[in-house]
Amino acid sequence: MKLNEIAEKLSLRNLTLEISGDTRAEVVCGHASDLLSDVLANAPADSLLVTRHVHLNVLAVAVHAGVVGIIFASSRMPDERVVRKATEERIWLYTSKDSAFNIVGKLYVLGLRGRHG
Amino acid sequence: MHELSLHILDLFENAVHAGASTVLMTLEENHQTDVLKIVVEDDGPGLDVPPETAVDPFYTTKNNKRTGLGLALFCSTAEQAAGRLVLRQSTLGGLAVEATMQLNHVDRIPIGNIAATVSSVVCTNPELNLLCRFVVGDEQYLVRVSDVARELPIGRRNGLAVARRVSARIGSGIESLHVTQ
């Protein structure tokens, strides 16, 4: 599924509108975690990450893991520095009013899958 | 990281990478004040950037990497348990990384297997002058790797033999002081 379609269906707010290029990249997998070492070790490359973490560390971990975009759950908002760095690193940031549980449920219904086993 | 010992391992690696020859780790529990303190200090060259730069996850001293997560993640680990990470100059001459946490905080991650962590460092860095100090209240226990090595006959002072003995010594120290997990 394309990122822009996911954003529309889940009513996500895009925080990185300044990233040049489009959000029509295909995303087929996701990962949900608040333990950053788990993201490092287990998030599939090119996946969408769902987390409550808004610290700069989550972005560095996302860069390391090759994550395409991050959805911040429960209306969590990163500060400007994180948004600026994400724009530089071309990682899409979204925020949602939903809880992480509900976001993941909706993504699953849309066809995204997490790592098996 | 799900255990503090993994953060400690990372700090040992940083010290070795910086060229330190002596590294002292102190793990201190104070049940009166509910504080857990972990300090890893060395006689290396110390920091050549401000502390806030060193804990930036996009700062690294390694040329082939874009991120430097070690100190940044340890800082988060300490903060999530109502603590903080301080970088200062060590009395050994190099850098001291000091993390404090609320000992009984619900989000304080377990200490993990310190004995295995230290012995793996001994095994891979047999020349390193490594000291581990455990403090619980008024009691303390010190393991000096060079002393442990000297207890072995000269021909048997290889990394693995010393590491095994260090691991056992730390294990009994942790047990005798009743260090919290």
Side-chain angles (χ1 to χ4, degrees), chain B residues 2-170:
Chain B
H2 55 280
E3 286 180 349
L4 292 169
S5 60
L6 298 174
H7 287 295
I8 293 169
L9 177 63
D10 186 58
L11 296 181
F12 282 142
E13 283 173 354
N14 284 354
V16 170
H17 179 74
S21 55
T22 296
V23 181
L24 165 66
M25 182 213 69
T26 306
L27 190 148
E28 188 176 345
E29 284 184 20
N30 189 327
H31 289 269
Q32 243 96 52
T33 55
D34 195 22
V35 170
L36 170 67
K37 183 157 85 176
I38 293 169
V39 188
V40 175
E41 53 195 306
D42 63 55
D43 65 347
L47 279 184
D48 55 4
V49 292
E52 56 274 22
T53 304
V55 299
D56 186 313
F58 286 96
Y59 172 77
T60 178
T61 56
K62 298 176 181 110
N63 293 332
N64 55 345
K65 287 175 68 190
R66 286 166 70 204
T67 53
L69 295 167
L71 288 174
L73 294 185
F74 198 15
C75 192
S76 291
T77 294
E79 285 173 357
Q80 80 184 19
R84 64 193 191 122
L85 190 83
V86 173
L87 306 182
R88 56 175 169 78
Q89 188 171 7
S90 163
T91 50
L92 297 174
L95 175 67
V97 179
E98 180 179 309
T100 49
M101 279 153 271
Q102 189 187 329
L103 183 60
N104 289 306
H105 194 287
V106 69
D107 289 323
R108 202 264 297 161
I109 59 173
I111 290 168
N113 196 339
I114 290 278
T117 298
V118 174
S119 63
S120 72
V121 175
V122 171
C123 214
T124 49
N125 302 278
E127 303 303 317
L128 189 66
N129 179 26
L130 187 58
L131 299 97
C132 299
R133 198 162 70 99
F134 299 89
V135 185
V136 177
D138 297 332
E139 287 182 89
Q140 66 167 301
Y141 188 94
L142 178 72
V143 178
R144 202 188 301 260
V145 171
S146 56
D147 289 350
V148 175
R150 266 195 293 273
E151 291 166 10
L152 287 162
I154 291 171
R156 286 184 49 219
R157 284 178 199 170
N158 61 68
L160 189 60
V162 177
R164 279 195 182 129
R165 200 168 262 246
V166 166
S167 174
R169 201 57 57 83
I170 290 177

Side-chain angles (χ1 to χ4, degrees), chain A residues 10-13 15 34 49-54 70-78 94-104 106:
Chain A
L10 268 68
S11 306
L12 304 176
R13 187 175 149 211
L15 304 173
D34 284 340
L49 172 67
V50 180
T51 184
R52 280 180 58 86
H53 267 293
V54 290
I70 305 172
I71 303 178
F72 300 117
S74 307
S75 302
R76 303 269 290 163
M77 282 289 285
Y94 298 95
T95 186
S96 167
K97 288 179 184 165
D98 273 330
S99 67
F101 186 91
N102 286 348
I103 295 168
V104 170
K106 290 175 182 178

